[in-house]
Amino acid sequence: MSRLKNKVAVVTGASKGIGAGIAKSLAAEGASVVVNYASSKEGADRVVAEIVETGGKAVAVQGDVSKAADVQRLFAETKKAFGTLDVLVNNAGVYEFAALGEITEEQFHRQFNTNVLGLSLTTQAAVKLFGAEHGSIINIGSTISTVTPPTAAVYTATKGAVDAVTHVLAKELGPKKIRVNSINPGMVDTEGARAIGVIGSDWQKQFEAQTPLGRIAQPEDIGPIAVFLASADSAWLTGETLLASGGLR
């Protein structure tokens, strides 16, 4: 398969989970991939090794997307490695659940700085590196912005912002031939979800009971959707929010 042959993609937060799945899916379709990570060098190197072992091209680049200097270095390293950019996947994100009375300033700013400011900084840098006639930006939102479960006020607010920013930037960047779309997954079986005890919990059972397809997602369920949005197959789509949730809405 080579729908993304000769394309270059940056995937933020790609050392594990959804980001790793997307990076490997893009590479399998021919893209050269920059695997960005904030802290897990081991995880990013593992993703790169898997891509290279199957004949793909990838490099790992450290960078905290909430920090402008890190973002500038990320895209400088992208240009150094591959010369250009065609696809940006804004996957890096953090989440924390807390009842209203337990929300702290630190929790609020940590989530907004990564999930919203980080997306804005990486998009600014990507636009400068895109070629004159192309570009696909894929934001990773969440069905949480419409499902709105209790104890998720801050995280839900960040993903609601991602929905809104996607629609705004589709209009703003369309004249530059840059498409902006969002994938909004439901619950996904990731290392992060396991670390906070979501997987195997009553919450998972509730999500599965409300999901028409009867299960939560695996990272490999999301990758092919990103390939579609990165490729010419979706050339007439921009400003769209695709619910990748097994029917949960």
Side-chain angles (χ1 to χ4, degrees):
M1 302 294 288
S2 57
R3 281 187 287 173
L4 300 176
K5 184 179 180 180
N6 299 324
K7 301 296 185 182
V8 176
V10 168
V11 184
T12 66
S15 64
K16 59 186 178 181
I18 294 172
I22 289 174
K24 288 184 279 189
S25 291
L26 297 177
E29 289 286 347
S32 300
V33 181
V34 175
V35 177
N36 162 253
Y37 67 98
S39 59
S40 181
K41 183 179 188 300
E42 181 181 356
D45 287 344
R46 187 181 308 117
V47 173
V48 169
E50 290 182 31
I51 290 172
V52 172
E53 286 170 5
T54 56
K57 296 180 180 180
V59 296
V61 179
Q62 190 277 334
D64 181 340
V65 299
S66 70
K67 298 177 180 178
D70 282 21
V71 170
Q72 293 305 313
R73 187 180 71 252
L74 167 61
F75 286 88
E77 290 296 322
T78 298
K79 185 175 182 179
K80 180 180 177 180
F82 299 119
T84 188
L85 181 66
D86 303 280
V87 179
L88 168 65
V89 181
N90 281 313
N91 169 76
V94 295
Y95 49 86
E96 191 168 353
F97 300 105
L100 175 62
E102 299 170 354
I103 294 171
T104 66
E105 289 184 52
E106 181 183 6
Q107 291 170 351
F108 180 93
H109 290 297
R110 175 172 176 262
Q111 292 179 76
F112 267 91
N113 283 353
T114 297
N115 300 0
V116 185
L117 175 60
L119 179 152
S120 301
L121 293 174
T122 55
T123 301
Q124 283 178 341
V127 167
K128 295 176 183 177
L129 192 53
F130 282 142
E133 294 298 327
H134 60 75
S136 177
I137 296 169
I138 303 165
N139 298 326
I140 304 302
S142 173
T143 55
I144 205 163
S145 63
T146 52
V147 175
T148 60
T151 75
V154 176
Y155 182 56
T156 298
T158 68
K159 292 305 183 180
V162 171
D163 291 347
V165 169
T166 296
H167 298 149
V168 170
L169 292 183
K171 296 176 181 178
E172 185 173 331
L173 299 178
K176 297 182 179 181
K177 309 302 181 187
I178 297 171
R179 299 184 296 110
V180 186
N181 294 288
S182 176
I183 302 172
N184 287 20
M187 186 179 290
V188 183
D189 185 354
T190 64
E191 295 90 336
R194 289 180 176 273
I196 65 172
V198 169
I199 303 303
S201 68
D202 288 340
W203 200 10
Q204 177 185 344
K205 294 176 183 177
Q206 291 173 12
F207 265 79
E208 290 174 334
Q210 297 169 26
T211 300
L213 293 184
R215 64 175 179 87
I216 63 171
Q218 299 296 318
E220 53 265 31
D221 291 317
I222 311 303
I225 304 170
V227 168
F228 167 69
L229 289 176
S231 75
D233 291 345
S234 61
W236 197 233
L237 290 185
T238 195
E240 293 296 332
T241 299
L242 303 186
L243 298 181
S245 60
L248 177 66
R249 62 185 62 231

